[in-house]
Amino acid sequence: MTALTLTRVNADVHSVHLPDGSHVGNLKRVGTVWKFKAIGYDAAGSVVPGGGPLTNRHNTAIATPDAAEVSAKLG
């Protein structure tokens, strides 16, 4: 399992990072449900919504913004 870290952006968004600090997505509260939104970057550094190394986990529901739970569900 990969240990992911969360950084609070605001009350409804946390950014999700790999152990090396790479940004791989955001955890967003959609209504009452937290969902992982994968993010990748192309060769020019532009954001690719739904892309990146966790693209197959895009829209995964998470109970709460907790790094251990997010790591278990996505890692």
Side-chain angles (χ1 to χ4, degrees):
M1 173 177 67
T2 300
L4 301 170
T5 60
L6 302 178
T7 301
R8 186 179 189 271
V9 175
N10 61 44
D12 296 319
V13 178
H14 291 74
S15 59
V16 180
H17 303 267
L18 294 176
D20 70 1
S22 300
H23 181 223
V24 293
N26 295 309
L27 192 59
K28 291 185 173 184
R29 185 175 10 216
V30 180
T32 60
V33 178
W34 287 94
K35 288 191 174 185
F36 174 72
K37 301 297 186 174
I39 292 179
Y41 296 89
D42 67 15
S46 297
V47 173
V48 179
L54 297 178
T55 191
N56 63 332
R57 301 286 193 232
H58 188 73
N59 281 325
T60 298
I62 307 287
T64 184
D66 173 75
E69 180 183 353
V70 171
S71 294
K73 285 255 185 156
L74 303 179

